[in-house]
Structures are given as C-alpha cells and as structure tokens.
Amino acid sequence: MIDVSAFINAVTFNAGYNTAIVAIGAVLLGWAGGTVGTFLLLRQRSLVSDALSHATLPGVGVAFLVMASLGGTGRFLPGLLLGAAISAMIGLACVEWLTRKTRLKSDAAIGAVLSSFFGLGVVLLTVIQSLGIGRQAGIGNFLLGSTSGMLRNEAITLAVLALCVALLVFLFRRPLTLVCFDEIFARTSGINIQRTDLLLMFLVMAVTVTGLRVVGLILVVALLIIPPVAARFWTDKTNVMIVVSGAIGAISGFIGTALSASVPNFPAGPVIVLVAAVLFVISLLFAPARGVFSGLYRSRTFSNKVHMRQGLLAILRGEAIYDRDTIKVLRAKKFIRGDGTPTRTGLDAAENAAREEALWSCYLRDNPDAAYRAARMRLDPIAERLTAGEISELEKQFSSPTTVVSGSTA
C-alpha cells in the first residue's frame, strides 16, 4: 500500500536531501526525454532509440571490466556512462552501415543490432558476476534502473546531463524542426541535414545514457516515445508539442519517483514508465484535439447538424420525415410536434435554413475551390463562417431563397 504521508513528503521535497536530488534528476530526465522524443517521433525514427538503448549494455560491461582491471571498483558512474555512450555510437554506426550497404531495411537492421548487442551485454554481465572483481553488486540494475542505491554525486551527475540535453534541444529546436518537416526547405535554408540528424542521434544517445541509472536501458525507450505520442493528442503545433511532451515526461519522472519513495521495494524506473503510460491513456481518451471522446463528440455533433438541416429542408418542402435520428433532433429543438407536424418555430427555422442554403449555393458558384471546406461549413450558421460584407454581397445575387434551394440537399 502507498504511504500517503511518505508520498506527500516526497512530492513536497521533504523526504530527505538524496530523495529530492533523485526526484529533480528524474524530472530533468523526463523533460529531456520528452523534448528529444518529439523530434524523434516527427522524424519517424522512434525505433532508433530502442537500438541505442540496447546497444549501451555491452559498453557498461566493458567499462566495468576496464576500470576494475585498473584497480578501481568498476562502479565509477561517469566511466560507465562513457562506455555506454561509446557502445551506443558503435551500435548506431552498425545500423547506418547495414541500411546503406545492404538490402536490409531500417527496421531489420535495428532488430539485428538490438538483439546482437543486448545478447553480448547479457553475456558480459554474466561474466562479470562470475569473476568476482570490483564491486559488481548492482551492475545489473542498468537493465531496469535503480534509484534506491544511487549516491548523491551520481544523482547530481545525471541531473546535470539531463539539463544539458534540454538546453541543447532549446538551442537547436529550429533546425531540428525544419529537418523533421521539410528537408528540401531546410537544405535551401542552409541547414546541413546530415549534421542535424547526427545532432538528433547524439541527443537521443545522451538521454539514453543518462536514463540508464534511473529507468534502465530496457525502459528508457519509453521516456523517448510515450511523452511525445501522448502530446500529439493535445496539439498540432510543434512548439506546443515540445512543451507538452517535456511536461508529460517531467510529471512522469516526478510522480514516479514520489510513488517509489512512498512504497517499500517499489522500483522507480518501472513506476515512472507506468505513470507515463497512464498519462498516455488519459491523453488518448480526453485530449480535446485528437482524443477518443472528443472525436466521438465531434462526430455526433456533425451528424446532428446533418439531420437538422435535412429535416428543416424537408419541413419547408412539406415532405414526410421518417428517419428516427432526424425526428429526434427536430423534437429536441421543438421544431416538430409529437405527431410530426412542424411548429411555428420549426417553420421559421426551415425558412432560415433555406435562405442559408441559397446563400451557400451562391458562394460555391463564385468560389468553386472552397467546395470541400464548405461541405462542413454550410451546416453552421452562415454568420459564423462568413463576414457581414460577404453575406451582403451574396444576398444581392438571388431574389428568392426558397426558389434557389428547391432542389438542394444538405
């Protein structure tokens, strides 16, 4: 069970200095992962993060063996991260070489590198545990992450790295955005596409290496993919998406760390990812831009508008209405009575609908290129879609709205 008091203390940074440092590091890591992941998603290279994360494991093992053989403990975090970074770069180079020099597609190359490097890393960890050199206890935590045994200087190191990544994203957001959306325009603007792609891969690698100690190499991919995917439901603007994605990543890191601190033996890495997954589900269902419920609402609203317009035009023409949804919509607005006869309000609304249909017909005759947009626009009151001047010009083009609309449909 969750210790509520411990959770509140963790959220308010009253759970101890080390816990606060770890929480800040997780927040910065989540923010960095969310912002970098945005460009990775827009560039359609999300799978690259998976290959990079799994390619770090051999580097961790080799770095540990090298440092232990030199007389150290092998647990020096900057050395382990450096080894992970070198291994990740080698893995990325292998993916690029396989894609360019062979007939393998990118997904196949990523799968081959991912499995090979991860298998090599597992073998190295097994060898390390059997050698009995250095302080190998806890080295396996790089798989799933561990913050419980993190030292203060390690937490500060990770926080600084995450902050540097976030600053680099802020400084280079313009060329990264241009390359993601339009390579030709970016190239004509003087942006080097290859260097920008390398910068993006460097940022991905930096986030991956930084997140090894917190969430582990298996789960760090989630911080690069889930926040931007969730943010995509909320907005269509890149700058807003970057901020929202970073915020989702930061909230995931903060809440996940607090939950881990409030429950005994609760691993921080998986909890952070689960919090991110919950935020993704919330975005999927409730986001106003692309959420499931908002989509259902818009679909239902559009359907009601169609039934309303068809029903009103049927009333004007004196036709019988048989469609149940149309009858339901008209009755809700009190445009027809229980027996289907129109009310005075319904007749007035029908005449107004006929007038607007005539105005829209004139508008489409003069603006044929707007036919696609007008298919939905014409279901709304024309005063909400056109200016008063435009409506006045259209009214001069017909003498009898009823005559113009006699054969039209909504």
Side-chain angles (χ1 to χ4, degrees):
M1 294 294 292
I2 298 177
D3 188 337
V4 178
S5 60
F7 178 77
I8 295 175
N9 288 334
V11 170
T12 56
F13 297 100
N14 291 319
Y17 179 77
N18 193 63
T19 302
I21 290 295
V22 171
I24 293 174
V27 168
L28 292 174
L29 173 64
W31 178 268
T35 53
V36 173
T38 299
F39 297 107
L40 201 62
L41 176 67
L42 296 176
R43 192 68 171 141
Q44 298 181 358
R45 295 187 177 179
S46 297
L47 280 178
V48 174
S49 61
D50 204 8
L52 279 175
S53 64
H54 286 74
T56 58
L57 189 56
V60 173
V62 172
F64 178 88
L65 290 173
V66 171
M67 290 187 292
S69 64
L70 294 176
T73 63
R75 291 287 302 277
F76 183 55
L77 183 61
L80 294 175
L81 296 183
L82 178 60
I86 295 174
S87 180
M89 286 189 290
I90 295 174
L92 179 61
C94 290
V95 171
E96 292 292 329
W97 185 87
L98 287 172
T99 304
R100 291 198 316 269
K101 301 297 184 179
T102 69
R103 295 183 178 182
L104 292 178
K105 294 185 178 180
S106 59
D107 56 346
I110 289 172
V113 172
L114 180 155
S115 55
S116 301
F117 274 68
F118 186 69
L120 176 60
V122 172
V123 170
L124 285 175
L125 291 185
T126 304
V127 171
I128 289 172
Q129 292 174 355
S130 64
L131 290 177
I133 62 173
R135 293 173 54 193
Q136 72 268 33
I139 193 70
N141 289 332
F142 281 90
L143 287 173
L144 295 175
S146 176
T147 59
S148 58
M150 189 183 298
L151 301 176
R152 183 181 65 179
N153 59 340
E154 293 180 343
I156 293 175
T157 299
L158 298 179
V160 171
L161 287 174
L163 181 61
C164 290
V165 172
L167 290 176
L168 285 174
V169 171
F170 176 77
L171 292 174
F172 294 99
R173 66 191 186 280
R174 182 179 179 276
L176 288 170
T177 302
L178 289 177
V179 170
C180 287
F181 284 100
D182 194 335
E183 284 191 23
I184 298 177
F185 178 75
R187 187 177 289 108
T188 56
S189 300
I191 296 174
N192 189 303
I193 305 298
Q194 185 176 6
R195 290 180 182 177
T196 305
D197 280 336
L198 288 175
L199 172 64
L200 178 58
M201 291 302 103
F202 171 78
L203 293 173
V204 173
M205 181 192 67
V207 171
T208 301
V209 171
T210 305
L212 290 179
R213 192 70 172 88
V214 180
V215 296
L217 63 90
I218 295 178
L219 297 175
V220 71
V221 181
L223 289 182
L224 287 163
I225 296 178
I226 295 179
V229 171
R232 189 67 181 88
F233 287 105
W234 293 92
T235 182
D236 292 326
K237 298 181 179 179
T238 305
N239 289 335
V240 177
M241 183 178 172
I242 294 172
V243 175
V244 174
S245 178
I248 291 174
I251 293 172
S252 301
F254 183 57
I255 301 298
T257 305
L259 288 173
S260 176
S262 60
V263 180
N265 301 320
F266 226 39
V271 175
I272 290 173
V273 173
L274 285 177
V275 173
V278 170
L279 294 177
F280 165 75
V281 173
I282 292 173
S283 302
L284 171 67
L285 296 178
F286 301 106
R290 297 173 178 266
V292 172
F293 290 138
S294 62
L296 292 175
Y297 173 77
R298 288 193 297 269
S299 176
R300 185 61 181 173
T301 301
F302 176 75
S303 176
N304 288 342
K305 289 180 180 179
V306 172
H307 286 294
M308 176 67 71
R309 183 58 61 92
Q310 289 177 335
L312 290 176
L313 294 179
I315 289 175
L316 187 68
R317 293 190 291 264
E319 299 174 352
I321 301 174
Y322 300 103
D323 186 83
R324 292 182 179 180
D325 290 332
T326 303
I327 293 173
K328 182 179 178 180
V329 171
L330 293 175
R331 283 180 177 174
K333 290 290 186 178
K334 300 187 183 305
F335 290 159
I336 60 174
R337 299 183 177 88
D339 58 359
T341 58
T343 63
R344 181 68 259 174
T345 304
L347 292 173
D348 292 341
E351 292 178 0
N352 184 64
R355 169 184 172 274
E356 293 198 350
E357 279 292 303
L359 292 175
W360 279 119
S361 297
C362 294
Y363 178 79
L364 292 176
R365 187 177 62 238
D366 298 337
N367 302 274
D369 294 338
Y372 178 76
R373 284 188 303 112
R376 286 179 174 268
M377 289 169 53
R378 67 190 300 170
L379 296 175
D380 296 323
I382 196 169
E384 296 179 3
R385 295 293 188 173
L386 302 179
T387 65
E390 289 175 322
I391 295 174
S392 178
E393 288 296 322
L394 293 175
E395 287 177 338
K396 297 176 182 178
Q397 299 184 31
F398 69 96
S399 57
S400 175
T402 305
T403 303
V404 175
V405 80
S406 59
S408 63
T409 59

